Every structure is written in structure tokens, then in C-alpha cells.
């Protein structure tokens, strides 16, 4: 306990120490409720001791230092006072530009306290240390600070890789992709598990889905200045295609057309005939009805009988049937035996027939193979739509240009390429999605102006 | 009997296929993304053999994929990128809607992108595989490079396509591997032979685009994305094979030749280099500035008999090819402004000619019209004022026809205002007995060295034409004649005999019968053939007759066409004369 008290006393005896009760207004404490505070806790010292005056004093000192660079009391008089000799002559202002900007003023260093001295800068280097560091440097060992600097991870730079890496960047660079062999030094298992090694592409996928060449050259008639006959043959070809198309169109038209004449004549005919044939018709109808009725009755009887007839067979009947069955089997077996024997004598005919069969199968095989070969060049059905070849590019005789300058290109290469891709089964034929309106468009005449109609 | 009842559609083809929608769901991709993935990875829909089985009893037409293919797609790293991109778009939309521009900026900076290099490596395991499939890539890139920058596709894509096609054309020029050109009404077909592969591509005429509405641009753009990557790598490899610098650089010597004036008028400085490259008028810089490449001599191996002949034939062929490669060497062309500059420059340069144009037409012209050393000026207008005497004024078709014929054709047929001979397709290969247009026959005759005809006057040209026709007819009829020859021989013999009888008996000094060994051999062969025909079985004989009949019919038809053509030509001539 004594040890604990001792420093307290010492502290209190010092001149700068401020006691708890030494606040400026002791009446304050006594006047109203006296506050009881335990003084054995540091927290309470802080809370209930008033240190405002000290703070004010220190603040004042700091303020003085900041604004004037030292205590005012220590300054010489010259720096504090000046002789008033009236207004100084105004210097002609050169406009606003001479005044510093407000932003610069804000950023100016406004304290007059000098920055703290760099202590290390004044330190004399230790010769021993210097020698040692030189030795280490000669060995190649960097000092710790430098090492740390070197080892510091450089912050990842904001790379603009997005622009350089884009696939269609016109300035992208290429390299010898087939020349270099990739070196897989790492463990293959590791590479596989971390998906760093690509799955091998099956050989089958490199087969082309069609035997057609990528670029089909147009027929010789498609020259800009064609040979007469080549041009004619091309025209003929185009013509035939067109004729087939037209035929189909006509057919559909014919099927869809409502034939007025036919319908009209039929109705007239019916009207004319109606009255005349009525009586006979009726009689016949009746007569036939009567007959049908009789037949129906008979049939019904028969049907009823058939169901009822399913009676039990007698023992004799069964025996007889069994015997007949055995007999039949024997007969068949005998027949087969005889046939087998006969076949011995028919060997030659059998041989020829076999040969014929073989030949037939062979023929069929070749045919099938030929068909398959032909199919390979055909576009397959790969989706909802069938492949539709584009219109043939043809120029009529009077459309042909007499010189290269006047040539009007026919068709579109873009479409040609697109159709070629479809033809070679690389993509499925599709059509442009049709625009569907979700809500009906309402037509409203605006009040501002009227539609002229 | 035990065993579980077999359920339908649980084994067999029904389990081997998967519908498009199911595949899409399995990959968790939207339809456009799925389609893009399939195109990039080269996985195509498949038509099953038994649709009803695969479709679980329904016959509705659907798009099917092989299940294994889709499983393979599951491993593709790009799928993840597609998903990332989807999220990116969603975030971007949100940021836009909230007007948070800083977020938009940040998102745009971190836009997820992907590379197709590994796909190229996977789909084309060797360089030759890639070369085989380069046709499509070339067509697509040439097509996209002619698009207007109107927002139908990315401007960057157009620029990249342009760059790649220019690189390709420069390669073709440097390696001189162009073989055929065909001006069609659709576009210009080119064929080149690169490392033994015949590569055909189609280039649209400039400014000929109307954008068709029934073409899916997204699909085309996806294909182009793949093909630009492919073409770039192929270009790199090709440039390497020729020791050229990649990306291409102009030769410093030829670069200095190009007129430098008014460079700023054509293009911005960033683009002017590509423009200069695309002018195709200057040669490219090499990695090792090599001396003129010595012509590779074929290795000589000691050979005997037939091999020797083969070797000689091959050597001859090679020589001809070499000669064809230098077709325009030493010629100096000047292009008028109305002719298709790029195509002509490309063709002329790839056969060793020099070419220039008016400096206001395009960047990269090397000499002026006034140059006295110009040998050919290519013109496509009815008349030209102030002509130079020492040069030919010809129509552009001459260049293309020369390339296809592999010789320099007489320029007379191609002068200004002359009705041009038809531009024949070099891609047609006539079989025996087919109708061959007379113009082609003429060219063939010239190729075989009837130079005398060509050097003569114009008038005789027509004669030679007819001659050639006759020759061909002769060839056609030879086979028929073989059969007839023997009959004639017999007849002659008989006549001689009958003559001998009627004449008084007279002894004349014997003459040495000159036996032509070749003739004898022929006769022997004909005899053998006849005997063989006689020995044929009935069935075979029938077939043989049929074949022969077919051949004869073909010949007859060809003759008919030729006669028709002759009549047509005569009529035309008569008309011309009447007009005159």
C-alpha cells in the first residue's frame, strides 16, 4: 500500500500538477449537489478533472507558433510593430491573372512551423558499418531494405488487354502455330485434372460432311463475255429450272382456284333433274330398304346361330381329328424327304439359281453404293426447312456487257457463300424470324390533322 | 420367361443423337452462342438414318447432333468465355440503365475476350490440312474486305480481312503461283497452286454489294472470325517459307520508287502503309536479302528406259511452267483509270510484269503515262486521244486470256474498239469427243507452237482458225476412220485385181515395196482390235456396241455444234461485210 501511495504524493508535490479540485470555480462544486467521485480510478481522474485552462494555454501557444512562427512574447519589437506612414502607393494591377487562384491558396502551406528535422540526415556514417556494407555488396548480398523493396510485389497494373486481345483486332500478330511443339513438362495427371490440357479431338470430326468443293466455279456460260454456245447452254439450264418452278406454281394455283363454271353447271343440272326423277328415286329407295331389312334379319340369325353352335366335340370327332393331324404330318414329312432326294438331281438348277441370287445381291449392292455416293454430294435435311438452292446467275443475251467496264455483276457473292455453306451441310437452312406483333395496331385519327383520303 | 421388358428408345440410335435444343441446354448456352460454338469447333448437325427412331417416334423434322460431339464440346474452354460474356453484357446493360458511366468504363475495359488459336491447332493439326481448307477462308475474307463500313459487321473485322487478303495477294505475287483467272458475271475466280494444293477463290467486283436480307450475318461473321485467324497463321507460315518478313514490309528499293507526292491525300498516316502494300506495285522485303534465286535444278538420278522418258517429260513440263511464270516479264503496263486496278495489278505482277497507273487513281504508282518504255497500255474505252506509237493499246481481257493460255496472245484481237473474242473459262476441262469452241482450239494450236500463224497478218488468223477446226475434226474422226480404212484397203486391192484382169498381161520391172514400219504396226493393231471384237461374247459385244455408239453420238453432236458455229460465224462475217 505504501508503495502505491508514494508516487501519488510525489506527483502531487510537483509544481505543474493540477489537482482535481483546483478547478477555477470551487463554488461551483460546493453550491449544488456535491458530487462524490472515487479517486482511486484513473478513469475518474480523466473524467472529473478540468484541464480546459491548460488546453487553452497550449492551444494559444500552438496558434502563435503556426501563425507567426514562434511565441509573440519572444519576438523582437521590430517584427511586431511598424511605423504608420500613410497609405502605400497603389501599384497598377495587371488584371485578375496576377492574383493567385483560390485553389492554389487553399493548397498553400499555411503553417509557419518548420517541418521536423530529418535526424538521420545529420548522422555521421559509421565507418565500420560502411565497410561492412561494401563487403556485402561485393559479395552480392543486398541490404535488407533493398531486398524488401525488390521482393515487394508490384501492384498489378491496369492492363488494357481487352483491346489488344480482341479477336478481330486488325493489328493482331500471328506466329508459327504449326512449327512449335508445346512442351508439357508438368505432370500429365495434374494438367488433366486442372483442365489445362485440352481433350483430344476425335479423328472423326475432321471428316467433312459433304464431298462438294468449297468453291464451285460457275459454268463457262457465266463468263462476262461468254462463248455463244456455252452461254446458250447455261440459258437453257436456267430456263428448265424456271419451267419446273412455273409448273409447280400453276399446279397450286389450279388446285386453289374456285371453279365457278363447274359449280354453276352442276347446280343447274341438279335443279333441272330434281323434279323429274323424284318419284322413281323414292320407289327405289324404299324397295332397297325393304331388301336390306330382310338380309339383315338373316344375317342376325346366322350370327346368333354361330355363337350358339359352339358345342362340345364328341370323343370320336376328337380321335378322328388327331388321326388326321398325324396323317397330315406324315404326308408332309414324306413329301419333304422326297423333295430332298429330288434335289440331288436338281443340283445344277439350284446352283444356277444361287448364282442368280448372288448376282442380284451384288447388283443391288453396287446400286446402293452408287446411290450413297450420289447422296454424299446432296444437301441433307438438317432441320425444319429443306435446302433451297439460290437462283442461278444468268445474264440474258441483251444484258451481256460489251466490255468489262460496263459489266453489271449478277447475284451476290455473300449469298453464294451462305448457300454454299448450307449446301455442304455445315449449317442448317433457316429463315429469318418473322416479326410478330403482340398487340394489334389501332388506327386513330389525330385531332391535330386529318388523313387525306 | 424372365428378364425385364425392354423399353423403347433407350438404346441404339435414339441414344446416339441429341436434339439441338437439348444440346444447348446441356451446354447452358443461348442459341446464338451455341451456333457460334459449333461453327468454331467444326461440329455440324447430322441427319440420322432412322429419323423416327431417333426422334422417339415422332417424324417432325429436327436438327440433330451426335451426342459424342456435344460431350466433346463440354470440355471446350471457350464455353466458359461465352458465359462470362453473357454476364458482362448483363452488367453493362445495368450500368447503362443506371447511368453509371464510370462502371461502364471499367466494364468495357475488362471485356472478356477469347482466342481461337488452340481451335485452329486442334482442327488443322498440320499446315497442309490448313492449306486444304483455305479456299473458304479466302473467299470469306475477300468478301468481307469489300464490305462498306456501314455497321453490317465490325469495322475492325473488315480491316483485318483487308489486311489478310493483301498479305495473301502479296504472297501469291512473290511466289508466282497464280494459275488461272476467270472473269464471271458473279465475280473473279482465281486459282493458285500453293505447295501442291490447288486453291480456288472468288473475289467480288468492287462496289457491287446489295445486302441480301436472307443471309444470316451473325453466322457469316462467326465463320469469318475463325477464317481470319486461320488465314493469318497460314500467311505467316507461307511468308516464312519464302523468307519474307512478316508482317510484310516493302522492299526498300521499291519503296523509294513509289511516288511519294500527295501521300496525305490518300490515307491517314496510320493506314498509308497498308494502302501502299495493297497497291501491289512494290515487291516485299526479305529476311535475308538474297541474291536472285537460282533456279532449282531437278536432281538427276540415273534412270533407264521408261523412267527416262517420264523424267524428260516432267522436265519439259517444268520448263514450260517456269516459262509461264515469267509470262509478262520485261513488259511494262500502264492502267487507265477505268479498268479494275487491283485485279489487273495483281495478275500482271504475279506474272512478272511491271505495272503503274495514274497517280490520282491510287497510291503506289511507279511511273507516268509519259514513260516511253511502256509496252502495253490497258484501256477500256472506245477511243483514246494522243496515243503513243511505241505501245499497244489493248483491252483488259487480253491480260486474263494470256494468263489462261499461258502464252502471249496476239494483241490484234484486243485492240480498242475491236469486238473481243469470248472469254473462255479455264476451269473447263474437255474430255475426248466434247465440243470444243474454236477459240480454244486456236489457243491450243498456238500453245503447241504454230507460231508462224500468229506472226502472220490478221487476215490469216481466220484461216488458221478454220484450219484448227479442221484439224480437230480430223482428230475426232480418226477413230471412225480406223474402221473404214481397212475396208478401203480391201477395195483398193480388189480394184487393183480387177484392173489387173482387164489389162493385158504385162510384165513390169518390180518395184521395191516401201514398208512403213509405223504403218504396219498400226495395221497390225487395227487387225488385232477387229479380231478381238469378233471374239467377243454376245453380251460383251452388245455393251461394246453401245459404248461405241455413245462415242459416235458424242462426236456427231460435237460436229453438229461446230457446223452450227461455223454457220453462225459465216453469217456474222457476211453481216459485217454487208455493213462495210
Amino acid at each position: 500500500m505504501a508503495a502505491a501511495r508514494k508516487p501519488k504524493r510525489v506527483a502531487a508535490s510537483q509544481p505543474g500538477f493540477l489537482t482535481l479540485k483546483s478547478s477555477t470555480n470551487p463554488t461551483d462544486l460546493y453550491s449544488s449537489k456535491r458530487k462524490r467521485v472515487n479517486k482511486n480510478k484513473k478513469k475518474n481522474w480523466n473524467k472529473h478533472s478540468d484541464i480546459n485552462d491548460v488546453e487553452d494555454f497550449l492551444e494559444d501557444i500552438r496558434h502563435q507558433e503556426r501563425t507567426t512562427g514562434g511565441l509573440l512574447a519572444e519576438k523582437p519589437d521590430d517584427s511586431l510593430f511598424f511605423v504608420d506612414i500613410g497609405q502605400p502607393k497603389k501599384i497598377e494591377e495587371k488584371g485578375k491573372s496576377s492574383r493567385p487562384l483560390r485553389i492554389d491558396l487553399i493548397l498553400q502551406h499555411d503553417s509557419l512551423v518548420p517541418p521536423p528535422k530529418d535526424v538521420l540526415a545529420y548522422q555521421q556514417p559509421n565507418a565500420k558499418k560502411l565497410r561492412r556494407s561494401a563487403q556485402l555488396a561485393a559479395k552480392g548480398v543486398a541490404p535488407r531494405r533493398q531486398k524488401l523493396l525488390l521482393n515487394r510485389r508490384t501492384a498489378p497494373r491496369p492492363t488494357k488487354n481487352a483491346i489488344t486481345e480482341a479477336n478481330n483486332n486488325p493489328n493482331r500478330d500471328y506466329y508459327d502455330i504449326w512449327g512449335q511443339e508445346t512442351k508439357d513438362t508438368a505432370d500429365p495427371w495434374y494438367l488433366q485434372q486442372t483442365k489445362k490440357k485440352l481433350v483430344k479431338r476425335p479423328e472423326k470430326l475432321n471428316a467433312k460432311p459433304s464431298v462438294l468443293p468449297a468453291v464451285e466455279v460457275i459454268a463457262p456460260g457465266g463468263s462476262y463475255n461468254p462463248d455463244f454456245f456455252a452461254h446458250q447452254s447455261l440459258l437453257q439450264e436456267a430456263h428448265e429450272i424456271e419451267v419446273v418452278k412455273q409448273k409447280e406454281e400453276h399446279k397450286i394455283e389450279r388446285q386453289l382456284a374456285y371453279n365457278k363454271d363447274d359449280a354453276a353447271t352442276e347446280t343447274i343440272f341438279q335443279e333441272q333433274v330434281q323434279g323429274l326423277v323424284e318419284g322413281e328415286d323414292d320407289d327405289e329407295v324404299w324397295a332397297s330398304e325393304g331388301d336390306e331389312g330382310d338380309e339383315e334379319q338373316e344375317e342376325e340369325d346366322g350370327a346368333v346361330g354361330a355363337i350358339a353352335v359352339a358345342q362340345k366335340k364328341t370323343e370320336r370327332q376328337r380321335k378322328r381329328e388327331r388321326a388326321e393331324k398325324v396323317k397330315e404330318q406324315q404326308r408332309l414329312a414324306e413329301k419333304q424327304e422326297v423333295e430332298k432326294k429330288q434335289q440331288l438331281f436338281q443340283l445344277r438348277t439350284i446352283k444356277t439359281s444361287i448364282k442368280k441370287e448372288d448376282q442380284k445381291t451384288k447388283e443391288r449392292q453396287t446400286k446402293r453404293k452408287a446411290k450413297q455416293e450420289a447422296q454424299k454430294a446432296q444437301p441433307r435435311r438438317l432441320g425444319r426447312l429443306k435446302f433451297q438452292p439460290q437462283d442461278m446467275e444468268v445474264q440474258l443475251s441483251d444484258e451481256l456487257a460489251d466490255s468489262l467496264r460496263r459489266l453489271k455483276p449478277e447475284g451476290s457473292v455473300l449469298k453464294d457463300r451462305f448457300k454454299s455453306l448450307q449446301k455442304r451441310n455445315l449449317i442448317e437452312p433457316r429463315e429469318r424470324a418473322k416479326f410478330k406483333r403482340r398487340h394489334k395496331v389501332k388506327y386513330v385519327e389525330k385531332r391535330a390533322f386529318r388523313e387525306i383520303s | 420367361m424372365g428378364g425385364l421388358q425392354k423399353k423403347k428408345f433407350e438404346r441404339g440410335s435414339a441414344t446416339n443423337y441429341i436434339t439441338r435444343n437439348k444440346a444447348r441446354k446441356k451446354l447452358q448456352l443461348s442459341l446464338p452462342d451455341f451456333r457460334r460454338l459449333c461453327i468454331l469447333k467444326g461440329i455440324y448437325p447430322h441427319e440420322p438414318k432412322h429419323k423416327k427412331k431417333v426422334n422417339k417416334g415422332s417424324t417432325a423434322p429436327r436438327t440433330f447432333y451426335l451426342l459424342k460431339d456435344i460431350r466433346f464440346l463440354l470440355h471446350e474452354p471457350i464455353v466458359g468465355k461465352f458465359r462470362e460474356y453473357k454476364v458482362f453484357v448483363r452488367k453493362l446493360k445495368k450500368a447503362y440503365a443506371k447511368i453509371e458511366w464510370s462502371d461502364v468504363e471499367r466494364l468495357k475495359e475488362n471485356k472478356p475476350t477469347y482466342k481461337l488459336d488452340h481451335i485452329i491447332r486442334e482442327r488443322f493439326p498440320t499446315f497442309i490440312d490448313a492449306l486444304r481448307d483455305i479456299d473458304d477462308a479466302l473467299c470469306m475474307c475477300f468478301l468481307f474486305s469489300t464490305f462498306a463500313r456501314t455497321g453490317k459487321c465490325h469495322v475492325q473485322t473488315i480491316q483485318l480481312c483487308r489486311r489478310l487478303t493483301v498479305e495473301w495477294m502479296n504472297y501469291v505475287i512473290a511466289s508466282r503461283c497464280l494459275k488461272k483467272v476467270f472473269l464471271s458475271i458473279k465475280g473473279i475466280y482465281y486459282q493458285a497452286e500453293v505447295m501442291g494444293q490447288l486453291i480456288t477463290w472468288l473475289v467480288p467486283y468492287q462496289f457491287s454489294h446489295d445486302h441480301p436480307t436472307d443471309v444470316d450475318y451473325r453466322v457469316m461473321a462467326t465463320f469469318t472470325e475463325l477464317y481470319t485467324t486461320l488465314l493469318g497463321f497460314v500467311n505467316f507460315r507461307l511468308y516464312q517459307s519464302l523468307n519474307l518478313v512478316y508482317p510484310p514490309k516493302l522492299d526498300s528499293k521499291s519503296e523509294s520508287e513509289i511516288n511519294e507526292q500527295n501521300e496525305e491525300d490518300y490515307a491517314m498516316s496510320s493506314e498509308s502503309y497498308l494502302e501502299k502494300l495493297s497497291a501491289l506495285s512494290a515487291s516485299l522485303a526479305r529476311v535475308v536479302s538474297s541474291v536472285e534465286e537460282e533456279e532449282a535444278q531437278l536432281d538427276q538420278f540415273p534412270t533407264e528406259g521408261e523412267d527416262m522418258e517420264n523424267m524428260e517429260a516432267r522436265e519439259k513440263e517444268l520448263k514450260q511452267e517456269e516459262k509461264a511464270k515469267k509470262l509478262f516479264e520485261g513488259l511494262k503496263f500502264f492502267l487507265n483509270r477505268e479498268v479494275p486496278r487491283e485485279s489487273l495489278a495483281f495478275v500482271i505482277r504475279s506474272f512478272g510484269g511491271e505495272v503503274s497507273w495514274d497517280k490520282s487513281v491510287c497510291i503506289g504508282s511507279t511511273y507516268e503515262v509519259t514513260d516511253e518504255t511502256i509496252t502495253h497500255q490497258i484501256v477500256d474505252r472506245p477511243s483514246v486521244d494522243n496515243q503513243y506509237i511505241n505501245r499497244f493499246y489493248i483491252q483488259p481481257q487480253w491480260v486474263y486470256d494470256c494468263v489462261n493460255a499461258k502464252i502471249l496472245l496476239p494483241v490484234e484481237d484486243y485492240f480498242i474498239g475491236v469486238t473481243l473474242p469470248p472469254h473462255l473459262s479455264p476451269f473447263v476441262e474437255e474430255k475426248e469427243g466434247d465440243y470444243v469452241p474454236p477459240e480454244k482450239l486456236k489457243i491450243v494450236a498456238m500453245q503447241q507452237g504454230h507460231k508462224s500463224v500468229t506472226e502472220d497478218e490478221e487476215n490469216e488468223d481466220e484461216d488458221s482458225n478454220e484450219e484448227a477446226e479442221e484439224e480437230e475434226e480430223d482428230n475426232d474422226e480418226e477413230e471412225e476412220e480406223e474402221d473404214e480404212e481397212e475396208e478401203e484397203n480391201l477395195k483398193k486391192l480388189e480394184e487393183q485385181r480387177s484392173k489387173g484382169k482387164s489389162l493385158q498381161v504385162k510384165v513390169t520391172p518390180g518395184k521395191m515395196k516401201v514398208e512403213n514400219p509405223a504403218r504396219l504396226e498400226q495395221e497390225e493393231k487395227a487387225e488385232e482390235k477387229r479380231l478381238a471384237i469378233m471374239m467377243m461374247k454376245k453380251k460383251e459385244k452388245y455393251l461394246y456396241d453401245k459404248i461405241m455408239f455413245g462415242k459416235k453420238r458424242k462426236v456427231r453432236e460435237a460436229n453438229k455444234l461446230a457446223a452450227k458455229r461455223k454457220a453462225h460465224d459465216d453469217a456474222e462475217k457476211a453481216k459485217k461485210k454487208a455493213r462495210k
Side-chain angles (χ1 to χ4, degrees), chain A residues 257-290:
Chain A
Y258 172 68
N259 204 337
K260 272 182 191 169
D261 289 351
D262 277 7
T265 49
E266 209 164 272
T267 48
I268 288 164
F269 177 73
Q270 274 181 353
E271 275 168 15
Q272 282 173 345
V273 169
Q274 220 165 21
L276 291 174
V277 213
E278 216 169 17
E280 294 166 28
D281 256 355
D282 281 355
D283 284 356
E284 272 178 26
V285 168
W286 279 112
S288 63
E289 269 182 25

Side-chain angles (χ1 to χ4, degrees), chain A residues 145-159:
Chain A
R145 178 173 286 183
Q146 213 170 334
K147 238 191 274 177
L148 279 177
L149 263 177
L150 283 174
N151 286 343
R152 200 174 61 177
R153 191 187 285 165
T154 47
R157 275 187 177 182
T159 45

Side-chain angles (χ1 to χ4, degrees), chain A residues 409 412-414, chain B residues 139 142-146 186-188 202-209:
Chain A
S412 153
V413 178
L414 182 67
Chain B
C139 279
F142 271 103
L143 174 64
F144 267 69
S145 65
T146 56
K186 230 195 244 179
I188 307 174
L202 171 62
V203 181
Y205 290 111
Q206 257 176 338
F207 314 125
S208 68
H209 280 296

Side-chain angles (χ1 to χ4, degrees), chain B residues 505-524:
Chain B
V505 181
K506 205 177 180 182
V507 181
T508 47
K511 267 183 188 170
M512 262 285 276
K513 206 175 178 183
V514 185
E515 281 187 346
N516 191 354
R519 175 93 186 161
L520 263 178
E521 204 177 317
Q522 252 188 9
E523 269 176 17
E524 216 165 83

